Amino acid sequence: MRVVVVGGGVLGTFHAWEAVRRGHEVVQVERELEARGASVRNFGLVWVSGRADGAEVELAQRARDLWAELPAIGVRASGSLTVCRSEAELAVAKEAAARPDAAARGFQVLDAEQTRERNPALKGDLQGALWCARDAIVEPREVLPALRTELMKSNRYQFVGGREVRNVQDGRVVDDHGVTHEGDFVFLCTGAWHSGLIRELTDDLPVRRVRLQMMQTAPLDDTLTTAVADGDSFRYYPAYKADELPPQAPLAEEHKMQLLMVQRAHGGLTIGDTHEYDEPFAFDVRSEPYEYLRDTVESILGRELPAITQRWAGVYSQATSDEVVVRREVARGVQLVTGPGGRGMTMSPAIAEASFEGIGA
């Protein structure tokens, strides 16, 4: 079978990966020369810990297993610590660790000393942490080229960058160079692109776009042995019961913030993030959230941060329905797959697997 994948982000690339793994021929079409959207503007977290019960956590667990099987991609099984800086946050952590599926999620509550033993860089203000052994880290700016390098070894894969799709019909995609890409099946993995051709194909998608702000530092002269979150993450992820937490700081509430922090392979820290849901989005970035995040990180690390070297905004597509990912057949043999939200990096391997199982290929 020949498969056409539209979209060069993590979701599209894993559909290409799954197709090749199953013995099919694949052409992947991307409107940029390289993916430049949410797939490369995120933390690189494979995040099992906070997922909702049912289909969401099941898909995340399956994806975590699939990530671990990938060759030459550099998955770091570092786990995560959600740092608790108050008794109220520690109570949420203890409740999470008492869940029936706590062992499957890799949950364990650590006191302050145990937390610092797990991650000695956390020298600042904390009372303990929720440890999740199942969480992992990849390098978001490197993983897609690495996957494509592996795909090329099959001799059944072609990547066509710098081509925007203008027309989609049964088993046929036409790009803006007038080239027709034919396949037995087409997957549209177009991320936060909801307009233009996508709107022509279907106008009732239960999705919205979400904007975030993030930043990265110069190399830290210390090692973060885990990914790190703060107690505000308990408010954001559905696995936790955060009703008893006091109100967030006004700035954090205004920007719907949580702290996530990952150390990159070069030693710098990726730090975020904010959430903005109402369009039109601003074209600039706000300084106050960065300052708040910097202060939070310095409190947890017990030291000043290195210089901030990069700041950016990103936009991703999020389902507004109960679906983990939105799938729609928009023409015969053409399936649109979108809306994983901030779960895209985590879940894409399992989403792609489910796509092929769904069409029996």
Side-chain angles (χ1 to χ4, degrees):
M1 186 171 81
R2 182 174 173 83
V3 177
V4 180
V5 177
V6 178
V10 66
L11 192 56
T13 302
F14 269 109
H15 276 77
W17 180 272
E18 188 65 18
V20 167
R21 191 182 72 83
R22 290 169 181 254
H24 307 313
E25 294 184 3
V26 182
V27 58
Q28 184 178 15
V29 183
E30 163 58 34
R31 62 180 175 175
E32 301 280 359
L33 295 177
E34 286 275 349
R36 294 174 59 82
S39 294
V40 296
R41 304 188 191 198
N42 65 78
F43 296 95
L45 287 171
V46 181
W47 200 253
V48 173
S49 49
R51 301 302 172 198
D53 292 339
E56 182 175 327
V57 72
E58 290 170 6
L59 203 63
Q61 293 277 26
R62 175 57 182 161
R64 175 65 178 82
D65 293 339
L66 291 171
W67 273 110
E69 296 173 4
L70 293 173
I73 304 302
V75 180
R76 288 182 276 156
S78 304
S80 73
L81 289 168
T82 300
V83 173
C84 302
R85 295 187 290 162
S86 70
E87 287 293 337
E89 291 174 352
L90 201 55
V92 175
K94 290 176 179 177
E95 190 166 15
R99 293 174 53 100
D101 65 346
R105 291 179 186 254
F107 281 163
Q108 181 185 358
V109 174
L110 308 180
D111 63 23
E113 182 179 355
Q114 291 169 325
T115 300
R116 294 190 178 101
E117 287 176 357
R118 185 82 62 176
N119 192 334
L122 306 182
K123 301 178 175 71
D125 174 27
L126 59 90
Q127 296 192 24
L130 180 65
W131 162 249
C132 178
R134 288 287 282 167
D135 291 339
I137 300 169
V138 298
E139 295 298 312
R141 303 186 188 202
E142 299 173 11
V143 68
L144 299 183
L147 284 168
R148 291 200 304 271
T149 296
E150 292 297 311
L151 284 166
M152 292 295 292
K153 296 176 182 178
S154 70
N155 296 318
R156 288 182 279 110
Y157 170 77
Q158 180 185 10
F159 179 80
V160 184
R163 304 289 182 95
E164 185 167 318
V165 170
R166 293 295 177 83
N167 184 269
V168 175
Q169 297 179 7
D170 298 352
R172 188 176 68 181
V173 168
V174 182
D175 67 31
D176 59 356
H177 286 54
V179 176
T180 298
H181 308 277
E182 294 186 353
D184 301 291
F185 209 91
V186 177
F187 288 104
L188 303 176
C189 303
T190 55
W193 182 33
H194 298 162
S195 58
L197 176 64
I198 301 303
R199 186 170 290 129
E200 292 174 10
L201 291 168
T202 178
D203 60 359
D204 64 344
L205 286 176
V207 293
R208 63 180 176 183
R209 302 200 314 155
V210 182
R211 182 178 185 265
L212 54 85
Q213 288 185 205
M214 295 174 59
M215 62 183 175
Q216 189 161 291
T217 74
L220 180 75
D221 59 351
D222 204 348
T223 301
L224 257 65
T225 56
T226 71
V228 176
D230 76 343
D232 278 340
S233 294
F234 289 142
R235 309 171 193 271
Y236 184 74
Y237 291 108
Y240 306 119
K241 296 181 179 179
D243 296 344
E244 300 302 317
L245 290 179
Q248 277 185 290
L251 184 68
E253 184 176 10
E254 176 189 355
H255 294 278
K256 301 175 178 62
M257 296 171 69
Q258 61 168 339
L259 170 68
L260 294 175
M261 177 168 58
V262 179
Q263 190 167 38
R264 301 269 64 97
H266 58 67
L269 305 179
T270 299
I271 299 169
D273 61 350
T274 64
H275 299 88
E276 184 179 353
Y277 302 105
D278 297 326
E279 297 197 56
F281 298 136
F283 60 84
D284 48 7
V285 294
R286 296 275 302 274
S287 295
E288 300 95 326
Y290 291 117
E291 293 167 1
Y292 179 89
L293 289 168
R294 182 198 62 209
D295 292 344
T296 302
V297 171
E298 289 182 346
S299 174
I300 291 172
L301 295 182
R303 56 171 294 170
E304 290 187 4
L305 271 181
I308 307 301
T309 58
Q310 295 166 283
R311 297 175 176 85
W312 66 89
V315 178
Y316 58 73
S317 177
Q318 181 184 65
T320 56
S321 62
D322 292 334
E323 300 162 276
V324 177
V325 63
V326 176
R327 302 179 189 276
R328 295 292 185 272
E329 186 174 4
V330 296
R332 186 173 60 86
V334 181
Q335 188 173 106
L336 173 65
V337 187
T338 189
R343 305 170 292 202
M345 184 62 79
T346 296
M347 295 189 180
S348 285
I351 292 171
E353 181 183 64
S355 291
F356 281 88
E357 291 178 352
I359 65 172

